[in-house]
Amino acid sequence: MLQPALYARFLQGLAMAPRRAALRLDRETYSYEAVHETALRWAGALVSGCRQPPQAVGVLAGKGIEGYAGILAALYAGAAVVPLHPDFPVARTRRMMEAAGVSALIADAHGLAAAARIAEGDSDLPVLSPDGPDDGRFRRITVSRRTGLHEPLPVVASDIAYILYTSGTTGRPKGVPITHGNTHHYFTLLDSRYDFDEHDVFSQTFDLTFDCAMFDLFCAWGAGASVRPVPAHAYRDLPAFVAERGLTVWFSTPSAIALVRRARGLPPGGMPGLRWSLFAGEALQASDVVAWQEAAPGCTVENIYGPTELTITVTGHRWSPATSPARCVNGLVPIGTVHEGHDHVLLDQCGEDSDSEGELCVTGPQMAAGYLDPRDDEGRFLRRDGRTWYRTGDRVRRMDNGELAHLGRLDTQVQVRGWRVELTEIEHALRTCDGVEDAVTVARPGDNGTELVVFYTGTRVPAAELARGLRTLLPQGMTPRHYRHIDVLPLNSNRKVDRARLALAAREQPLPG
């Protein structure tokens, strides 16, 4: 039965628009027919080239044909896809592969070089690398039309579609297996929420190891639309890139807006071709939405939210210039309502149900059954009322219209000299100070307990002046003592603000008051 299969999304696009572009890369355009035939050949090679049909296939590649067709080929082979990044630390990637049971790799040339370091001389690892050199270090899988599949292998809803990794509090990544059933519910819901069609061109800003990349691929492919990767240099003149590539659907982290704004790249009416603009992965500032929509006046903007464990996104708020600004909390756009078919509760600090504010816990068809290692489930997957719930670790507030507002991570609420401090509230106050464009607040241990350190962009402002301005907005106990001006807030590979890097910098380097 193909219906619950994630790859059925691609087959749907193939049936709608076989000769239309499924992928538009810098130098090559690949039609649905071409990608389908490539994936079938590679899937057949995986099945015939391994001693046993692989249960999990690692895709160690960037945003080229190997990465995109590799994901599809692994799915066609009935295996779970494990996206891997060639530039991630070797030990980390090795642990991921071992935990997921990866028994074969699809790699581009860059990934093949990384695989040599990861495998530690294990020349028996089957590797499919169409363009990589065959230097004898691996058991190379040969691709031929003779071994290609005629159609994808069947799967059932409970089979794992992909495995992604999140950061773990134990210091090792936690594997999240998402089933075909999880994705089937998710994308069926999105089909009714959006009007994507075969004329759309989707941006693809996320790394393939980030679950939001699955949104790009399988929303586009389910509609017969095209996917266009966005290179780093595109942000220097985003309106030009959007126009030249014909983008109609944009999806990124909110940090991308700040990146473009710094380059003065959001002129009014500069991106008239965008129909949809979606943001996820971190808190979305109302001021950024206003600036973005001025540049793309014809688009609908949504703030969508969800951890990997709940299949990409599980809530959404559609921005309305008339009503949304009044519903923002700390200058942040609401995350909206929980997807149909799911239940949610808010737990207060004592673990009791709260009607108004607390940790968001969700259960429903998009929820993963648990982590690859059941030991990681403790503290995240909760049993109550005979059901399993996922604890998101996010503090939210339920508003009078039933929507949820994101207040921050549980671990962003800290105690400073007896004050319970929400870091996002301080950041919102900082953005109202003259000269400050954006700000991140982190906590570090000090001689007299926890102290707060601010990193901000914009015009350099004397620390005393910033502190004086904040004291008009915040209680004195919440006012940070340390301020550091930086040119740009650091971003990780998925263009989210790298708070961990800033927290490390605050701990390691002495800061003036």
Side-chain angles (χ1 to χ4, degrees):
M1 179 179 179
L2 297 182
Q3 186 59 29
L6 178 56
Y7 60 66
R9 303 283 305 173
F10 187 90
L11 299 181
Q12 184 173 305
L14 174 69
M16 293 169 56
R19 291 179 177 80
R20 281 190 177 272
L23 287 173
R24 298 181 183 273
L25 307 182
D26 274 347
R27 296 179 179 162
E28 297 285 345
T29 296
Y30 297 89
S31 69
Y32 275 84
E33 284 182 334
V35 176
H36 178 62
E37 291 170 3
T38 297
L40 285 175
R41 287 199 301 274
W42 292 4
L46 288 170
V47 173
S48 64
C50 298
R51 294 188 178 95
Q52 293 182 337
Q55 299 299 304
V57 173
V59 178
L60 190 62
K63 297 179 184 180
I65 186 62
E66 294 90 350
Y68 295 113
I71 288 173
L72 201 60
L75 292 172
Y76 279 11
V81 182
V82 186
L84 302 167
H85 198 300
D87 293 327
F88 277 6
V90 168
R92 182 183 178 89
T93 301
R94 188 183 301 123
R95 286 196 298 269
M96 290 177 177
M97 291 174 58
E98 290 171 353
V102 168
S103 57
L105 280 179
I106 296 174
D108 59 14
H110 186 40
L112 191 64
R117 299 188 297 273
I118 294 164
E120 289 186 316
D122 179 10
S123 60
D124 199 43
L125 178 68
V127 176
L128 191 159
S129 184
D131 295 325
D134 187 357
D135 53 13
R137 286 186 290 183
F138 301 103
R139 184 156 58 86
R140 296 296 289 271
I141 296 175
T142 302
V143 178
S144 72
R145 292 186 179 276
R146 181 179 57 81
T147 59
L149 298 181
H150 297 293
E151 60 183 14
L153 297 181
V155 296
V156 297
S158 59
D159 288 338
I160 298 172
Y162 60 80
I163 299 170
L164 294 175
Y165 284 84
T166 64
S167 297
T169 55
T170 60
R172 57 184 172 81
K174 297 187 294 187
V176 184
I178 299 296
T179 67
H180 290 275
N182 295 144
T183 62
H184 178 62
H185 180 94
Y186 180 68
F187 286 107
T188 299
L189 184 148
L190 297 190
D191 283 342
S192 64
R193 188 178 183 95
Y194 305 113
D195 64 349
F196 303 142
D197 63 35
E198 68 271 21
H199 302 291
D200 280 316
V201 179
F202 282 64
S203 70
Q204 212 279 290
T205 66
F206 300 99
D207 187 88
L208 297 180
T209 60
F210 192 4
D211 61 346
C212 288
M214 299 298 174
F215 178 105
D216 300 331
L217 299 183
F218 292 99
C219 274
W221 289 343
S226 301
V227 173
R228 165 74 76 170
V230 179
H233 65 76
Y235 294 92
R236 298 173 195 158
D237 188 354
L238 191 61
F241 182 87
V242 168
E244 291 167 5
R245 274 66 173 183
L247 297 184
T248 60
V249 181
W250 176 269
F251 186 25
S252 73
T253 62
S255 289
I257 305 178
L259 185 65
V260 178
R261 290 182 75 179
R262 281 196 299 273
R264 302 186 183 279
L266 292 180
M271 298 186 291
L274 289 182
R275 299 197 312 116
W276 290 95
S277 293
L278 310 160
F279 299 96
E282 54 191 358
L284 176 62
Q285 296 179 40
S287 59
D288 280 343
V289 175
V290 172
W292 185 271
Q293 199 155 52
E294 286 177 354
C299 81
T300 301
V301 176
E302 280 202 346
N303 186 32
I304 53 181
Y305 155 89
T308 301
E309 293 85 346
L310 294 174
T311 308
I312 309 177
T313 61
V314 75
T315 75
H317 171 84
R318 189 162 293 180
W319 177 264
S320 164
T323 60
S324 294
R327 298 198 172 277
C328 293
V329 176
N330 292 331
L332 303 179
V333 180
I335 60 173
T337 55
V338 175
H339 284 178
E340 182 180 346
H342 294 75
D343 290 332
H344 72 280
V345 295
L346 308 185
L347 298 183
D348 63 19
Q349 290 183 314
C350 298
E352 301 294 330
D353 288 11
S354 170
D355 292 331
S356 59
E357 190 172 306
E359 181 185 6
L360 176 62
C361 302
V362 180
T363 190
Q366 289 178 211
M367 185 187 71
Y371 294 110
L372 280 181
D373 186 342
R375 294 174 298 176
D376 292 327
D377 291 354
E378 185 176 355
R380 274 287 170 251
F381 288 90
L382 170 71
R383 289 291 296 178
R384 55 174 277 164
D385 304 327
R387 293 187 290 174
T388 301
W389 301 68
Y390 178 69
R391 303 186 63 163
T392 64
D394 289 310
R395 291 180 59 247
V396 303
R397 177 179 300 162
R398 183 178 287 117
M399 297 186 290
D400 56 9
N401 67 345
E403 286 196 306
L404 302 175
H406 190 270
L407 302 178
R409 295 288 298 170
L410 292 180
D411 53 11
T412 64
Q413 190 181 77
V414 298
Q415 291 284 129
V416 181
R417 298 186 295 277
W419 286 88
R420 192 170 70 183
V421 177
E422 184 63 66
L423 300 183
T424 54
E425 183 178 355
I426 297 174
E427 292 164 0
H428 174 56
L430 281 160
R431 295 182 192 111
T432 68
C433 294
D434 290 342
V436 175
E437 289 183 354
D438 205 352
V440 169
T441 307
V442 298
R444 73 172 189 182
D447 294 337
N448 299 310
T450 300
E451 55 188 23
L452 301 177
V453 179
V454 168
F455 293 86
Y456 71 97
T457 63
T459 304
R460 190 182 298 274
V461 181
E465 185 176 329
L466 285 174
R468 186 165 53 250
L470 287 180
R471 279 195 290 270
T472 67
L473 302 169
L474 303 170
Q476 185 171 353
M478 292 177 62
T479 304
R481 294 180 54 204
H482 304 288
Y483 301 84
R484 172 175 289 175
H485 176 267
I486 54 178
D487 292 331
V488 179
L489 293 176
L491 306 181
N492 61 21
S493 62
N494 288 312
R495 302 200 174 278
K496 296 167 69 172
V497 173
D498 197 338
R499 290 176 176 268
R501 181 175 166 187
L502 292 174
L504 182 62
R507 290 195 300 270
E508 290 184 341
Q509 299 178 23
L511 296 169

